[in-house]
């Protein structure tokens, strides 16, 4: 199942990692381990944030993604299940059934 993982990292923790030269290598190691479909960096409400699209085959892989971010950067993490347009279209019959049966 595909997820959007949003990892907000405290500025002071990231600043220290950048000052000591460990942010880049740590993030590179993390990305090479989780192999996201995509990775983006931005700010959300003024907080440094990484966004990763990951495809998990088992729920226990949540720890593989979350734990490095918790320990390395004290990140706050949010998980969102996401679908491609093709996946939405293949599930359209569920929407139609819900409309028919529940409205």
């Amino acid at each position: 199942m595909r997820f959007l993982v949003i990892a907000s990292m405290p500025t002071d923790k990231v600043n220290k990692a950048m000052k000591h030269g460990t942010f880049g290598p740590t993030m590179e190691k993390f990305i090479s381990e989780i192999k996201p479909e995509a990775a983006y960096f931005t700010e959300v409400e003024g907080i440094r944030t990484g966004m990763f699209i990951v495809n998990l085959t088992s729920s226990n892989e949540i720890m593989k993604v979350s734990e490095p971010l918790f320990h390395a950067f004290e990140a706050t993490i949010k998980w969102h299940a996401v679908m491609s347009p093709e996946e939405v279209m293949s599930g359209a019959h569920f929407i139609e059934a819900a409309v028919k049966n529940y409205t």
Side-chain angles (χ1 to χ4, degrees):
M1 181 172 229
R2 187 176 294 115
F3 292 92
L4 167 62
V5 180
I6 302 172
S8 298
M9 299 167 276
T11 300
D12 61 335
K13 184 72 173 181
V14 175
N15 284 351
K16 286 178 187 173
M18 288 181 174
K19 183 177 182 178
H20 293 108
T22 59
F23 179 80
T26 302
M27 190 56 71
E28 286 176 1
K29 180 179 179 181
F30 169 73
I31 289 172
S32 72
E33 289 175 357
I34 68 163
K35 297 176 179 49
E37 292 180 19
Y40 299 98
F41 297 88
T42 187
E43 65 74 37
V44 175
E45 297 180 1
I47 299 172
R48 287 189 175 109
T49 302
M51 297 184 178
F52 310 94
I53 301 292
V54 297
N55 197 2
L56 305 185
T57 57
S58 174
S59 61
N60 69 0
E61 291 178 288
I62 290 171
M63 293 177 284
K64 177 182 177 181
V65 176
S66 297
E67 291 299 325
L69 296 168
F70 288 145
H71 291 281
F73 303 114
E74 297 176 8
T76 299
I77 302 172
K78 295 180 182 176
W79 287 78
H80 301 278
V82 295
M83 295 179 279
S84 69
E86 296 79 19
E87 291 166 328
V88 170
M89 295 308 295
S90 72
H93 64 282
F94 293 118
I95 298 169
E96 293 164 1
V99 169
K100 180 180 176 184
N101 296 320
Y102 293 96
T103 57

